[in-house]
Amino acid sequence: MLKTGLKTMLLAAVAMTAIAGAASAGKLTIESWRNDDATIWKEKIIPAFMAKYPDIQVEFNPTAPKEYNAALNARLEGGTAGDIITCRPFDASLELFNKGHLAPLNDLPSMANFSDVAKSAWTTDDGKTTFCVPMGSVIHGFIYNKDIFKELGLSEPKTEEEFLATLDKIKANGKYVPLVLGTNDQWEAATMGFQNIGPNYWKGEAGRKALIDGTAKFTDAPYVDTFKALAKWAPYMGDGYKAQTYPDSQNLFGLGKGAIYAAGSWDISTFRGQNVPMGAFKAPPPAGAKDCYISDHTDIGIGMNAKTPNAADAKVFLDWIGSEEFANIFANALPGFFPLSSAKVTISDDVAQSFVSWRGQCKSTIRNSYQILSRGTPNLENELWNVSAQVLNGTMTPDAAAAQLEDGLKKWYKPHQK
Amino acid sequence: MSSPHSAIVGMGRATYLRLLVFFLAPAAIVYTVFSIYPLLATIFNSLYLYHSETKSYDYVGLGNFTTLLTDTTWSVPFWNAFRNNLVFFAIHMSVQNPIGLALAAMLSLPRLRLRATYRTLIFMPTMLSVVIIGFVWQLILSPLWGIAKLFLQTFGLGFLFAPWLGQEGSALITISLISVWQFVGIPMILIYTALLAIPEELIDAATVDGLNQFQAFVWVKLPLILPTIGLVSILTFVNNFNAFDLIYAMKGALAGPNFSADIMGTLFYRTFFGNQLQLGNASMGSTIATMMFIIILIGVMTYLFVIQRRMQRYSF
């Protein structure tokens, strides 16, 4: 029960202390939530670094994504955290910096390789101090099964109308699940649904910034329309999608039973492992839209524990993370995580390449709930998961969903109280 | 005080005290460090509020409790979690414990074969990790790959199937029943051992008086095991109001859809440790934990003073 859970955590913390103690002799330990990528770090990234700097030992020590924030906080408070900290974007890391757990990295030479937008997720509100090296972004879109598209004679939809027509055709054929997305875990509804197609409605950065300064409200047309578009997906989702978990969705598409998968680019490597013949298309804009927008979300950075005994080594490592060499290894070892550095990078994975090519065709934006707006109670991101899942489940109308978001924001955020 | 122990074992008073400390210390230290201290620290925490502007914890008295119970941002989720917790408890009381009792009664039937096998099989899920239980049941009930749907279809009842874990009306009930399945072994084993302790003579006498097995159970055995049933009930109450893990494993910290499976344990976890973009809030988290403690305390006290005192005990 709860008590046992806490005890286990305490035990884990004690065990971590022991590990950290053993590892402190000139060895850098990396804290991360990317346990899916453990092999890539151990077999590709770390060996490449150690080939250049043989004196510095590096160890990748990931925690499960769900537990990462809580476990990392506990370890930093207890002084047992590793030397290198993988940074979540925005407030979670800003909080760590404000508490003095992350070191400022303004003087790192390779910081010059990053644009202000890339650094925005790990910079203080006044724009003066950057505390994590931007590592990668994830792009939203849709991945489709090429064999199924060929079999049914379909082509990549360019507009929302074509998108729905394509889904209709797959549904009429009846052999495949038209749109693979579940609402059991809730976050996919918000992240692969709302944040995926939304930027086309609220015009990317312009809409995101308008929400922050209070000139736009969630009850405005672009946000309600996003929910309305989302509500239209329900008939095309798999049987029992209300109890479909994220791993269920991955398997459904991975096994070739689903035609279109509402995706984050990080899913590419999962499906490569299952040999799915796949292609990708970007979120189809609604009728009459002139420009297109994509969610190109700064997702992962890397910084330094302010209390590390190996600060000099850690800085050498972080500086290398900002280099062109790392950007190339990262982009190709982890197709679907796109380097944020301005270094020239060639990506060999064709699907990852088509995701990244949208950067040239459309305007990029980040998820609108991430900067500033999720600082209060009720938490906007949690609310967004809840209402997006309910809109897809058909238990909440688009208007009610938008109203609930705005009401929640109004409770604590001054620019929305006017 | 003249101590009888020294006369018995020929041990000096000082040696006796040293021995006393030696045997009591481990339990006292572990209990103090891992139970009493965290409990007091939590209550202490709930009286302070963190201010991010000044980066300091300020004493606010019962202010956090007022916020939790009166500010709709907090009170709506709190009462929702409380209500769900009551449902969770009610299902355990009305399903798990009667089934546990029935299983124990059947296990103690004199002519039952393979007794030990049944006992072990029924008790097995209790020993499995909740993560495994959650995963296995999610697979069984999955609308995509689950056997529940095929099973119902075999009997022509396919129309009864629904994605129970994903619907607002059925998610909590489904998870409660999974938890019942997991823990039914505990009331069974406790009641079974109590039944074994009843002397054969009483049953023989009842049989001579003309009672059949069922009547003997209702009129002779049941009154004798009432204290055990009381104990099982209070254990169920405490465990249910402390529950967290199964719901977290199956539905995550937001316990959806629309918080329909959110109980106080998950609300506490989300508040104290945070979730995705929500940062942990030690003050409000401690306030919720303290409320859980108070609710459990009230429940246990009510049981002790109102029910247990009136219970009759028989000795043979």
Side-chain angles (χ1 to χ4, degrees):
Chain A
M1 305 273 106
L2 183 57
K3 266 191 186 158
T4 355
L6 290 179
K7 269 181 198 159
T8 325
M9 268 183 206
L10 273 174
L11 280 178
V14 172
M16 291 324 290
T17 324
I19 295 169
S24 68
K27 192 179 206 178
L28 297 176
T29 312
I30 305 173
E31 299 275 358
S32 175
W33 70 89
R34 294 297 311 163
N35 50 1
D36 286 355
D37 309 337
T39 16
I40 288 158
W41 277 87
K42 282 171 187 159
E43 286 168 12
K44 289 187 181 161
I45 299 175
I46 294 173
F49 171 75
M50 282 170 60
K52 247 186 168 168
Y53 303 93
D55 300 338
I56 304 176
Q57 295 280 320
V58 185
E59 189 186 30
F60 187 69
N61 183 23
T63 315
K66 264 208 258 185
E67 277 88 43
Y68 181 71
N69 293 18
L72 177 69
N73 271 315
R75 272 179 236 154
L76 285 167
E77 297 283 351
T80 60
D83 314 86
I84 307 282
I85 312 285
T86 307
C87 305
R88 296 273 194 191
F90 295 104
D91 289 3
S93 291
L94 183 61
E95 173 90 354
L96 293 181
F97 174 73
N98 284 337
K99 281 189 177 166
H101 293 312
L102 288 173
L105 296 174
N106 281 351
D107 54 347
L108 216 60
S110 63
M111 271 297 179
N113 299 345
F114 299 95
S115 70
D116 284 348
V117 178
K119 286 191 279 194
S120 69
W122 301 281
T123 301
T124 48
D125 285 355
D126 61 14
K128 280 184 187 143
T129 316
T130 304
F131 42 85
C132 294
V133 182
M135 203 151 70
S137 76
V138 291
I139 298 177
H140 284 297
F142 294 86
I143 297 178
Y144 65 92
N145 186 312
K146 273 188 175 162
D147 287 353
I148 296 177
F149 265 49
K150 201 185 280 169
E151 183 188 331
L152 304 182
L154 303 168
S155 56
E156 291 179 11
K158 299 269 183 305
T159 63
E160 199 202 345
E161 212 183 339
E162 286 176 31
F163 178 62
L164 293 171
T166 310
L167 288 172
D168 266 330
K169 279 185 202 151
I170 305 166
K171 195 180 179 184
N173 171 268
K175 247 168 86 184
Y176 305 101
V177 176
L179 182 63
V180 181
L181 181 69
T183 56
N184 185 76
D185 299 350
Q186 303 189 54
W187 67 269
E188 305 105 289
T191 313
M192 329 288 227
F194 185 80
Q195 303 284 13
N196 184 356
I197 60 168
N200 277 322
Y201 290 86
W202 61 71
K203 311 236 176 289
E205 284 291 278
R208 186 180 77 82
K209 290 193 169 134
L211 273 181
I212 292 174
D213 63 30
T215 49
K217 305 218 179 313
F218 272 108
T219 42
D220 291 349
Y223 306 95
V224 179
D225 287 347
T226 308
F227 281 123
K228 281 185 182 154
L230 216 52
K232 286 182 199 152
W233 292 5
Y236 307 108
M237 286 157 71
D239 200 11
Y241 66 90
K242 292 175 188 173
Q244 184 176 324
T245 64
Y246 179 56
D248 282 341
S249 301
Q250 288 181 317
N251 280 319
L252 202 58
F253 187 78
L255 294 169
K257 290 174 189 259
I260 299 175
Y261 177 91
S265 54
W266 65 87
D267 285 311
I268 295 173
S269 42
T270 315
F271 297 139
R272 282 281 175 240
Q274 289 166 294
N275 289 320
V276 188
M278 57 183 170
F281 59 88
K282 56 181 179 275
K290 281 191 202 101
D291 300 314
C292 63
Y293 300 85
I294 55 162
S295 168
D296 181 1
H297 189 69
T298 45
D299 186 59
I300 181 167
I302 193 160
M304 182 172 84
N305 183 348
K307 296 186 187 70
T308 174
N310 307 316
D313 286 352
K315 283 201 168 172
V316 171
F317 180 73
L318 291 177
D319 195 41
W320 178 77
I321 294 279
S323 71
E324 192 175 333
E325 183 187 1
F326 173 80
N328 271 299
I329 298 172
F330 184 74
N332 286 300
L334 290 170
F337 284 91
F338 304 105
L340 287 160
S341 99
S342 33
K344 185 148 175 49
V345 174
T346 34
I347 301 174
S348 54
D349 187 293
D350 61 325
V351 179
Q353 182 56 45
S354 62
F355 268 90
V356 86
S357 71
W358 305 333
R359 276 182 180 169
Q361 306 159 17
C362 307
K363 289 180 188 135
S364 293
T365 181
I366 59 174
R367 296 179 200 151
N368 60 6
S369 52
Y370 271 60
Q371 195 176 24
I372 300 170
L373 297 183
S374 284
R375 279 183 191 169
T377 313
N379 183 275
L380 178 64
E381 178 73 359
N382 289 357
E383 294 266 288
L384 202 51
W385 291 15
N386 182 17
V387 300
S388 304
Q390 286 200 70
V391 166
L392 282 172
N393 283 353
T395 54
M396 191 179 229
T397 63
D399 289 301
Q404 184 173 334
L405 293 180
E406 187 58 34
D407 282 350
L409 205 53
K410 219 184 264 174
K411 275 188 178 148
W412 62 273
Y413 190 55
K414 290 224 168 58
H416 279 246
Q417 286 166 349
K418 284 175 280 185
Chain B
M1 193 182 90
S2 74
S3 32
H5 56 272
S6 48
I8 300 164
V9 282
M11 185 192 292
R13 189 178 176 79
T15 325
Y16 173 71
L17 282 178
R18 263 207 301 280
L19 212 58
L20 200 68
V21 170
F22 179 77
F23 282 116
L24 281 182
I29 291 172
V30 169
Y31 189 62
T32 310
V33 172
F34 291 106
S35 283
I36 299 178
Y37 167 70
L39 184 66
L40 292 179
T42 306
I43 296 175
F44 186 74
N45 255 345
S46 70
L47 304 177
Y48 286 78
L49 187 63
Y50 181 73
H51 284 285
S52 50
E53 301 88 36
T54 54
K55 289 179 192 167
S56 63
Y57 282 93
D58 299 334
Y59 180 76
V60 289
L62 296 177
N64 290 334
F65 291 89
T66 318
T67 310
L68 182 65
L69 299 176
T70 57
D71 180 350
T72 51
T73 311
W74 292 98
S75 64
V76 171
F78 178 75
W79 291 117
N80 172 52
F82 180 71
R83 210 166 32 242
N84 288 340
N85 236 144
L86 285 179
V87 173
F88 194 65
F89 173 58
I91 292 175
H92 279 78
M93 277 303 279
S94 59
V95 182
Q96 173 188 285
N97 295 347
I99 293 179
L101 177 66
L103 287 172
M106 285 191 271
L107 274 184
S108 61
L109 286 178
R111 263 174 288 170
L112 182 75
R113 296 169 67 194
L114 297 173
R115 191 188 312 267
T117 316
Y118 289 131
R119 208 174 47 203
T120 315
L121 281 179
I122 296 168
F123 199 72
M124 197 86 89
T126 309
M127 296 182 291
L128 289 176
S129 144
V130 271
V131 181
I132 296 173
I133 302 270
F135 181 69
V136 166
W137 273 99
Q138 229 162 11
L139 272 184
I140 293 175
L141 298 177
S142 165
L144 297 167
W145 349 89
I147 54 161
K149 193 177 179 180
L150 287 174
F151 181 78
L152 284 175
Q153 279 166 349
T154 317
F155 297 100
L157 296 169
F159 64 92
L160 285 178
F161 184 82
W164 292 300
L165 280 172
Q167 291 176 339
E168 231 172 282
S170 57
L172 180 64
I173 298 170
T174 313
I175 298 175
S176 305
L177 291 175
I178 294 170
S179 168
V180 164
W181 175 83
Q182 180 180 13
F183 288 115
V184 75
I186 289 180
M188 179 198 76
I189 228 76
L190 286 173
I191 296 170
Y192 176 63
T193 38
L195 284 173
L196 287 187
I198 297 172
E200 281 296 314
E201 291 84 3
L202 288 178
I203 311 301
D204 292 346
T207 318
V208 171
D209 282 347
L211 268 60
N212 61 28
Q213 283 284 356
F214 181 72
Q215 286 168 319
F217 177 77
V218 175
W219 298 109
V220 180
K221 289 181 176 174
L222 202 55
L224 291 174
I225 57 166
L226 269 185
T228 309
I229 293 178
L231 175 79
V232 163
S233 311
I234 204 67
L235 278 180
T236 312
F237 175 75
V238 174
N239 281 339
N240 284 172
F241 275 80
N242 267 331
F244 156 75
D245 39 14
L246 185 65
I247 292 182
Y248 180 69
M250 297 184 83
K251 302 300 298 185
L254 290 196
N258 199 19
F259 300 105
S260 58
D262 195 26
I263 58 171
M264 287 195 289
T266 41
L267 175 66
F268 159 77
Y269 178 87
R270 199 165 67 232
T271 312
F272 193 93
F273 292 105
N275 179 59
Q276 193 72 8
L277 301 185
Q278 179 189 355
L279 299 173
N281 182 337
S283 305
M284 287 312 282
S286 302
T287 308
I288 295 170
T290 307
M291 283 305 290
M292 289 168 73
F293 173 68
I294 292 171
I295 289 167
I296 292 170
L297 199 65
I298 292 174
V300 174
M301 288 292 182
T302 315
Y303 169 78
L304 285 179
F305 290 116
V306 180
I307 300 174
Q308 187 155 14
R309 282 191 171 183
R310 295 187 188 168
M311 225 174 245
Q312 264 184 304
R313 281 193 168 66
Y314 304 90
S315 52
F316 328 106

